[in-house]
Each structure stands twice: as C-alpha cells, then as structure tokens.
Amino acid sequence: MQEILATESKLAKIFQFSERKVREYFKSARVSPGKYNFIQAVEIFVEKNSGQDEVSELKRAEKELKEYKLQILKKEYHHESDVVRIVSNMNYNFKSKLMALPSKISVQLLNKENQLEVKEILKKAIYEVLEELVDYKYEERRGIEEDDTGKTHDTSD
C-alpha cells in the first residue's frame, strides 16, 4: 500500500490544530521532520476522538435538562396535565356560555321586528361571551399534584 505523506501545516489546516499540537498529537505517524503518514494520522484522530461525540451529546442533554427544570421552577413551562386541564376548563366554560345565549337573549328578542336591531342584540351577546374567553384567567391547582417523576405530593398549605 502506498504511503500518503502530509506536511505538518497541511495536517494543522485539515484538523484545525496548531502545528505544535500536530507534532504532539500525531507523534507516532511521523515519518520525518515535518512529514506525516496521512492515513495513520487520520486513524489516530478517529481513535482519539471516538466517544467524544457521545460525551458532548450527553453534556448538552444534561445542560438542556437543567435549563428546562429551571424554567419549570420559574413557571415558564407548565406540566402537560395542567395545560390540558386549563384548556378543557376554558372550553367547558365557553361552551356553557354559548349554550346559555338563546335563553339569555330570547326575552330581549321577543318583540323585535327590526332585523338590524335583532342583529345588534345577537352581536352584543356574542361579543360578551368572546370577551370572557379572551379575558380567561386560570386558577392554579391546589391539592395533590404530580411531579416530573409521576409521584404525587400534597401542595395545599
């Protein structure tokens, strides 16, 4: 097999090392001063760096987890069950308001013959319900809660 030689400066450029680091890192691939067996240098690089990606990926994942937990503590994120409960409650309240509209405004519409007047009464009632939806404020759940591990604990004071 033919030996492919690379200069110290070429290896430094390829691996983004300083020439001094190339001399230290690829010591065993050195053929002569300033000349290195390129294939052997690549093998050394791969061997020394295998596992580094996994370690850096693990560190990144741990950092993201810590940031996520901090955001939960700062109440920037909410547990999925809380979001589902809040949206369900909001939808239930909205549906109840809509279902109550006919009986609420039927008395007002009883003797109205002017279509424009009927339209304005309906429009006003619908906007009131929609405003309540926009201004919806959820109340934080008290009592028994589930944490990230699935364990339940009492949050009542």
Side-chain angles (χ1 to χ4, degrees):
M1 186 166 145
Q2 187 180 2
E3 192 174 87
I4 301 172
L5 297 179
T7 63
E8 205 169 85
S9 60
K10 280 288 186 192
L11 288 177
K13 191 174 184 179
I14 290 169
F15 295 109
Q16 297 178 346
F17 289 167
S18 66
E19 289 185 14
R20 182 179 189 168
K21 186 168 181 177
V22 167
R23 284 190 296 274
E24 294 170 11
Y25 206 80
F26 302 115
K27 202 180 282 186
S28 62
R30 187 171 161 194
V31 176
S32 63
K35 303 256 187 212
Y36 296 84
N37 181 328
F38 182 70
I39 294 173
Q40 193 177 356
V42 170
E43 289 171 350
I44 291 169
F45 182 80
V46 169
E47 182 181 308
K48 287 186 177 183
N49 286 300
S50 65
Q52 289 295 329
D53 291 339
E54 291 86 4
V55 171
S56 63
E57 180 67 23
L58 180 61
K59 285 181 182 178
R60 185 193 59 75
E62 287 173 348
K63 180 183 174 193
E64 284 180 5
L65 180 62
K66 286 178 185 177
E67 289 173 358
Y68 173 70
K69 286 183 176 182
L70 178 63
Q71 289 172 330
I72 289 173
L73 291 173
K74 289 181 173 182
K75 300 204 181 232
E76 293 175 6
Y77 281 102
H78 300 283
H79 199 274
E80 178 186 6
S81 63
D82 289 338
V83 174
V84 168
R85 181 183 46 79
I86 291 166
V87 172
S88 295
N89 187 29
M90 183 176 69
N91 286 338
Y92 177 78
N93 290 343
F94 183 64
K95 179 184 174 190
S96 297
K97 298 282 184 183
L98 285 177
M99 297 301 288
L101 269 181
S103 60
K104 180 180 175 182
I105 60 174
S106 62
V107 174
Q108 295 174 23
L109 298 175
L110 198 55
N111 294 321
K112 304 294 181 190
E113 292 180 17
N114 184 349
Q115 187 179 3
L116 199 57
E117 199 175 344
V118 170
K119 182 179 176 183
E120 283 302 314
I121 292 171
L122 287 171
K123 190 174 179 182
K124 181 181 175 194
I126 291 170
Y127 279 139
E128 284 176 11
V129 173
L130 289 173
E131 280 298 318
E132 287 184 34
L133 183 63
V134 169
D135 296 334
Y136 183 81
K137 301 284 186 235
Y138 73 93
E139 294 178 20
E140 205 168 317
R141 180 170 57 176
R142 291 282 172 208
I144 296 176
E145 283 191 8
E146 214 174 86
D147 63 15
D148 291 348
T149 62
K151 297 178 183 172
T152 57
H153 52 91
D154 190 359
T155 61
S156 56
D157 295 317

